[in-house]
Amino acid sequence: MPKRLLVLAGPDEGKSFVIPPAESLLVGRSRATDVSLIDPHVSRVHCQVQVEDGHTTVSDFDSPGGTWVNGKRVAKHALHPGDLIRIGNTRLQYLDDEGESAFVADLIATPPTAAPLPVAKPIKTKLAKAAKGKAASGKPAAALAWPNGLVGKKLRNYKIGAVLAKSKRGYVFHARDIRKNVPLALKILEPSFTEDAKAVQRFVKAMKSVLPLRHPHLVTVHNAGKTGPYCWIAMEYVSGESLAAVIGRVENTGPPDWRYVVRLAIYLARGLAYAHGKKLLHRNITPHNILLGQRPHETKLGDLMLARALDGDTVPPLPARGAFVGDIAYMASECTAAGAVPVDARADVYSFGAVLYALLSGRAPFAGDTVTEIVSKIRREDPPALKQFHPGVPAALERIVRRLMARRPSDRYQSSADALADLEALAKAEQVAY
């Protein structure tokens, strides 16, 4: 396959755009651009991707939000396979698949003999140099090239296919269990994670607590482990899109019917109440880890316990600008204190409410140009009334969302089960089938 841009997150999630040889692509929100994105936070003409003499570059067009590559704002940047580009709320990955094994739809029954996984030593060498600012090749993001090397390979009994999404600590791939001949999603953490023995032990312990769980509104974890330099999670494959993609389209399509939101809320609250009943916290509920199947009742919450598997019991420091900053807007105030304030299930309750707010309004509860600005709003302000964005929202639903998102934990629903009871009562009163 030729050089291309793959949308990993945002309203256009899953789309792929081919970059013609010796040509350029204008990327933006305008229909006149070559890569027209729905994301309202992308400028009309945001940036340009160009191939010259076999080399690919991205150039910003003085966009207010900027063009970011691997977490750094750039004016012009030479792209290398695996590089991550962020414009607005859209994340893209630059891929150059020529000569590589591609995942194909007929990957069924007995696959061809898979090549062995890349060995850990050269990857660790690149990571060590990258940590000092440059990789062996002089590319600041050489460590990001490792996902491309996994496509077409086999990890345990899983044949690895195309990249589905980028996560904070790794990638999610489409894969197939070649023993059972079923598709699944395979999350593989970046190789540097396994260099910390305590982190690996924490990962194994957290995944053991998730493996027995079975609930229709939680993404099922089939298996997890460590193979070579990779920790991985084999999960149920949900054929659909993330809630982030739906929220990103609201500005163009208008807000969804509030009854639809109530249905989704009930399904998610049921899954969350089940997890909390098992004494498990999520700690990172955002639109990106809520997956919508082909039908509303197939809505599922993913990445349960992954935050604990990655960061332990402490709340990690807030990210720097440009690195998943949008997720901060869904954090409870106590989660912005980097572990200085105790965090319990009520933090999940807050994040759940923030997601519902975003779905009804088409925007995150709080926005800002810096982490400090967003955190300040979370701690001191209430989000604008939902009626401002969605006049049809009934007062009872707005009250539920407000209580979910109360700044002080003591003012919130004290459990997800309590919130579920009110949502089901609202559905009954308004004759909303679910």
Side-chain angles (χ1 to χ4, degrees):
M1 295 177 67
K3 297 174 175 61
R4 60 194 172 105
L5 295 174
L6 175 65
V7 183
L8 298 180
D12 297 278
E13 183 180 313
K15 290 184 179 179
S16 180
F17 302 93
V18 173
I19 308 170
E23 291 188 26
S24 63
L25 293 180
L26 289 178
V27 182
R29 200 176 72 251
S30 170
R31 293 183 181 180
T33 56
D34 304 296
V35 177
S36 181
L37 301 172
I38 300 174
D39 188 349
H41 300 283
V42 169
S43 299
R44 292 184 62 80
V45 181
H46 200 108
C47 62
Q48 180 185 55
V49 177
Q50 187 171 19
V51 179
E52 295 179 293
D53 300 324
H55 301 288
T56 308
T57 60
V58 59
S59 303
D60 184 66
F61 273 25
D62 296 323
S63 61
T67 297
W68 301 74
V69 178
N70 303 325
K72 295 182 179 180
R73 189 166 184 164
V74 301
K76 185 174 182 178
H77 184 86
L79 293 173
H80 305 286
D83 279 355
L84 299 174
I85 305 167
R86 181 175 69 81
I87 57 176
N89 287 336
T90 296
R91 296 184 179 92
L92 308 100
Q93 185 176 39
Y94 170 64
L95 300 173
D96 185 354
D97 297 329
E98 292 180 356
E100 294 187 3
S101 299
F103 184 83
V104 291
D106 61 352
L107 217 177
I108 58 175
T110 305
T113 302
L117 288 169
V119 295
K121 187 174 181 180
I123 293 177
K124 289 182 179 180
T125 301
K126 287 185 178 181
L127 282 169
K129 294 182 179 179
K132 297 178 181 179
K134 289 186 178 181
S137 62
K139 303 171 186 176
L144 292 173
W146 65 267
N148 291 337
L150 292 178
V151 175
K153 302 294 193 299
K154 190 173 71 171
L155 189 153
R156 292 283 184 92
N157 52 299
Y158 308 117
K159 185 67 179 287
I160 302 173
V163 171
L164 293 176
K166 173 75 175 72
S167 64
K168 290 183 180 179
R169 299 285 188 89
Y171 286 79
V172 181
F173 298 81
H174 195 299
R176 181 167 290 274
D177 185 329
I178 57 179
R179 292 178 184 170
K180 299 180 180 179
N181 192 26
V182 295
L184 48 79
L186 188 66
K187 176 167 287 190
I188 302 179
L189 304 184
E190 56 195 22
S192 60
F193 182 79
T194 59
E195 296 174 6
D196 184 342
K198 290 184 178 179
V200 174
Q201 292 175 359
R202 188 172 62 236
F203 171 83
V204 171
K205 183 178 179 180
M207 289 301 102
K208 282 183 178 179
S209 67
V210 175
L211 282 169
L213 302 184
R214 293 295 182 271
H215 190 276
H217 302 302
L218 294 178
V219 173
T220 299
V221 175
H222 296 299
N223 202 355
K226 177 180 177 295
T227 301
Y230 304 108
C231 281
W232 51 270
I233 309 168
M235 305 172 291
E236 169 188 10
Y237 175 69
V238 180
S239 179
E241 60 184 353
S242 74
L243 196 62
V246 176
I247 293 171
R249 292 195 295 266
V250 167
E251 184 166 308
N252 289 332
T253 63
D257 188 307
W258 63 266
R259 297 170 185 82
Y260 170 79
V261 177
V262 169
R263 291 188 191 98
L264 294 190
I266 289 173
Y267 301 143
L268 292 171
R270 286 176 174 175
L272 193 58
Y274 173 80
H276 287 170
K278 300 292 185 180
K279 309 300 182 185
L280 302 178
L281 304 185
H282 192 291
R283 285 183 23 189
N284 188 38
I285 299 174
T286 71
H288 287 100
N289 52 42
I290 294 172
L291 302 177
L292 306 180
Q294 300 300 315
R295 291 164 291 187
H297 69 266
E298 294 173 346
T299 300
K300 294 175 184 284
L301 175 63
D303 284 353
L304 180 64
M305 288 292 286
L306 185 60
R308 183 173 182 180
L310 298 179
D311 302 312
D313 291 320
T314 59
V315 178
L318 295 173
R321 181 176 177 174
F324 289 86
V325 170
D327 291 350
I328 296 174
Y330 300 92
M331 284 185 178
S333 58
E334 61 268 30
C335 292
T336 66
V341 178
V343 172
D344 57 28
R346 292 173 295 182
D348 282 349
V349 168
Y350 178 96
S351 297
F352 171 52
V355 167
L356 297 184
Y357 182 96
L359 182 56
L360 288 163
S361 67
R363 47 167 280 172
F366 302 103
D369 293 328
T370 66
V371 171
T372 301
E373 184 179 353
I374 298 173
V375 168
S376 178
K377 290 180 179 179
I378 290 172
R379 293 175 176 175
R380 297 177 174 85
E381 299 180 14
D382 293 323
L386 282 170
K387 287 279 189 180
Q388 178 179 327
F389 309 102
H390 197 319
V393 171
L397 179 55
E398 174 125 27
R399 284 195 298 270
I400 290 173
V401 174
R402 290 286 175 184
R403 187 176 173 189
L404 288 165
M405 292 185 63
R407 286 198 300 277
R408 295 195 305 178
S410 59
D411 293 335
R412 293 176 207 150
Y413 286 100
Q414 295 303 288
S415 72
S416 48
D418 291 342
L420 172 61
D422 274 5
L423 286 165
E424 290 180 336
L426 172 62
K428 183 177 180 180
E430 296 289 346
Q431 298 182 332
V432 177
Y434 57 89

